Amino acid sequence: MPDRLMTGAALLLAAWPGGAQQRRPPERLENLTGKTLMLFTPHPDDDTFCCAGTLAQLARKQNKIYIVIYTNDDKGSYDPEMTSERLARIRMHEEEEACRIVGIPKENILWLQFHDGMLEYANSRDLVEQCTGLIRKYRPDVVLGPDPGGEYVRWHKTDHRMAAMNTIDAIRAAEWHLYFPNQRLHDHLEPWKVPMEFFYYAGKDANYFVNIDNEIELKLNASAAHVSQFDPSIRHYRADWDPKDLERVKATFRSRSKKDGHYVEGFRSARGFNPQ
Ligand SMILES: [Zn+2]
């Protein structure tokens, strides 16, 4: 007698030739080659801080990586002489340099250009439509985004909240042709079901770790490219590092990145929006 807990679809899958193959464990993210990945990031640096080591491995393996940046980060400075316009330009150059270090060309950075701290107040329907369109256009094998939470909504700071929920909503909408049908009719964008999702900033819910022992120095250098976001540049802008300050920041990063004696980046791996 079949297990009453198995759904009809699960029974069919188990009986189908190749069913066992369908149930094989998912491929390791960092081992992918020749795929397309799309990472959604609230600010031009979360992608670096969360994932630079993993992205560097993927870039080396001929994967095409797109970085979608929701905001232009034009508010994060205590320097009284700084303006939003100037800061946005600085942040763009810093992000391009960080991506260059990781191995991602600046042509693959897609700026949505919302103002820093204002993503929550964007028109949410337009925002999800915009990101749905990007997913349908680039048809990524993997999407990475801030973790919206497993069973409960995760607390995030401003922009991160909206980025987390909007990204997962766009992933969902992208596969159903009746969401935003104008994209199919006018832009010839077909529905796309994202096969793999990895959520960063997952905290203690992280269930998937990528070893970045070989990339830690690269990650520190990419992170240091965001010089305007660290003391003392965040208080009085300067484009370069005092070597002493740089070593202090790198030491902090090093101390926070270890698990079981190895440098790692943690994610929550999910498929069909359920934790694995
Ligand atoms: Zn951020």
Side-chain angles (χ1 to χ4, degrees), residues 43 46 157 160:
H43 304 115
D46 297 300
K157 69 174 181 176
H160 289 217

Side-chain angles (χ1 to χ4, degrees), residues 42-252:
H43 304 115
D45 60 18
D46 297 300
D47 53 321
T48 314
F49 299 153
C50 74
C51 312
T54 305
L55 295 176
Q57 293 181 41
L58 288 161
R60 277 202 303 270
K61 291 173 183 157
Q62 279 71 54
N63 293 287
K64 194 172 278 186
I65 303 169
Y66 294 97
I67 305 291
V68 184
I69 305 182
Y70 280 103
T71 71
N72 62 5
D73 221 6
D74 61 349
K75 301 288 190 288
S77 175
Y78 297 116
D79 186 339
E81 302 298 315
M82 184 58 74
T83 65
S84 283
E85 292 74 15
R86 183 176 173 220
L87 185 57
R89 281 197 301 276
I90 289 168
R91 297 297 291 128
M92 184 175 277
H93 289 134
E94 289 178 345
E95 171 69 2
E96 288 175 356
E97 173 61 8
C99 283
R100 187 193 65 75
I101 293 168
V102 169
I104 300 169
K106 67 179 176 186
E107 295 73 27
N108 288 16
I109 306 174
L110 311 174
W111 296 88
L112 304 192
Q113 292 288 10
F114 287 88
H115 290 293
D116 193 7
M118 294 293 120
L119 197 62
E120 330 293 313
Y121 314 109
N123 180 306
S124 53
R125 186 204 175 281
D126 291 350
L127 189 62
V128 80
E129 180 174 1
Q130 185 176 13
C131 293
T132 300
L134 289 174
I135 291 170
R136 287 174 173 168
K137 178 177 177 185
Y138 291 96
R139 306 172 82 74
D141 300 285
V142 182
V143 168
L144 301 101
D147 189 8
E151 292 180 54
Y152 303 100
V153 173
R154 180 172 298 285
W155 183 86
H156 284 298
K157 69 174 181 176
T158 182
D159 297 331
H160 289 217
R161 292 190 293 263
M162 188 70 159
M165 303 313 289
N166 186 75
T167 301
I168 197 164
D169 287 350
I171 291 170
R172 178 169 179 273
E175 74 177 83
W176 302 98
H177 72 278
L178 294 177
Y179 281 101
F180 313 119
N182 52 311
Q183 294 184 344
R184 195 180 192 197
L185 289 169
H186 299 155
D187 306 324
H188 308 293
L189 297 176
E190 292 296 324
W192 179 248
K193 184 171 170 51
V194 176
M196 298 171 83
E197 297 119 33
F198 286 86
F199 300 113
Y200 57 86
Y201 293 164
K204 60 183 184 315
D205 288 344
N207 59 5
Y208 187 98
F209 297 91
V210 176
N211 181 311
I212 60 159
D213 282 339
N214 294 329
E215 288 79 26
I216 185 65
E217 290 309 315
L218 177 151
K219 178 170 184 171
L220 295 176
N221 290 332
S223 299
H226 298 286
V227 58
S228 71
Q229 299 303 289
F230 296 96
D231 250 334
S233 187
I234 198 167
R235 297 182 187 282
H236 182 72
Y237 176 70
R238 56 181 279 183
D240 58 347
W241 281 96
D242 182 297
K244 264 199 331 292
D245 294 322
L246 180 57
E247 193 38 53
R248 173 180 51 79
V249 167
K250 285 186 172 183
T252 307

